[in-house]
């Protein structure tokens, strides 16, 4: 998959509960940093560990994740990060656009991670591609990098 080269690449890893989003994101981070590529890895759930949510504020935690991702990415980018791997549930086009907007200066792709081979049910059709997490983490991480066109060697 060809993307523009802005000098920075972002990857959103989405999927259902238990699909392995966080573990695969960390595995991708290990691969990239092992190749001396300046990489940030962010778990969206960690950005919204706040509670209780204010009463009558539907979507509060999603908005909190967006604001915190923008702040965290600014810090990582200032430190020299050129790659960012973000894991979390992204089910709507609007939420994807919000997260992409936080990753200033990045070409962003999104992968949906599945636990097992299942018939695609149109999860909002917000991802660029789908990968099944049914092998060792390093193999799944490498497959995602190859499909995204990121460095693998």
């Amino acid at each position: 998959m060809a993307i523009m080269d802005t000098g920075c690449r972002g990857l959103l890893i989405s999927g259902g509960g238990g699909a392995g989003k966080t573990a695969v994101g960390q595995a991708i981070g290990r691969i990239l940093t092992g190749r001396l590529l300046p990489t940030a890895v962010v778990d969206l759930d960690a950005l919204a560990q706040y509670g209780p949510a204010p009463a009558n504020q539907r979507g509060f935690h999603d908005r909190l994740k967006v604001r915190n991702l923008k702040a965290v990415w600014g810090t990582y980018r200032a430190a020299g990060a050129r790659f960012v791997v973000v894991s979390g549930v992204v089910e709507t086009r609007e939420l994807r656009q919000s997260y992409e907007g936080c990753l200033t200066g990045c070409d962003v792709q999104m992968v949906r991670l599945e636990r097992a081979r299942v018939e695609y049910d149109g999860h909002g059709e917000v991802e660029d591609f789908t990968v099944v997490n049914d092998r060792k983490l390093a193999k799944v991480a490498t497959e995602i990098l190859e499909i995204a066109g990121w460095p693998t060697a």
Side-chain angles (χ1 to χ4, degrees):
M1 175 176 289
I3 59 172
M4 291 176 32
D5 186 6
T6 62
C8 173
R9 292 185 179 178
L11 182 65
L12 296 174
I13 302 174
S14 186
K21 299 174 293 292
T22 299
V24 169
Q26 291 170 347
I28 291 171
R30 284 191 299 275
I31 290 169
L32 295 172
T33 58
R35 294 189 179 115
L36 304 179
L37 298 170
T39 304
V41 178
V42 180
D43 180 350
L44 289 172
D45 287 339
L47 297 182
Q49 293 183 357
Y50 174 87
N56 302 318
Q57 287 201 23
R58 184 173 167 85
F60 171 81
H61 286 99
D62 283 337
R63 289 190 303 275
L64 188 60
K65 289 174 188 179
V66 168
R67 285 193 306 268
N68 286 340
L69 179 60
K70 183 174 182 144
V72 167
W73 173 240
T75 302
Y76 282 132
R77 188 67 170 137
R82 289 184 36 240
F83 296 86
V84 58
V85 180
V86 179
S87 60
V89 177
V90 184
E91 294 293 344
T92 67
R93 188 168 307 281
E94 294 77 23
L95 193 53
R96 175 184 175 164
Q97 290 170 344
S98 293
Y99 290 134
E100 286 179 350
C102 295
L103 302 176
T104 306
C106 285
D107 290 316
V108 179
Q109 293 173 285
M110 184 173 144
V111 58
R112 179 170 187 83
L113 197 61
E114 296 284 355
R115 287 186 291 167
R117 294 256 177 233
V118 295
E119 190 66 29
Y120 181 72
D121 64 359
H123 293 96
E125 300 178 2
V126 297
E127 60 277 338
D128 295 307
F129 57 97
T130 299
V131 171
V132 178
N133 186 13
D134 60 356
R135 292 150 284 150
K136 292 189 177 204
L137 286 175
K139 296 264 186 205
V140 174
T142 298
E143 180 182 347
I144 290 170
L145 290 170
E146 288 172 349
I147 293 171
W150 287 29
T152 58

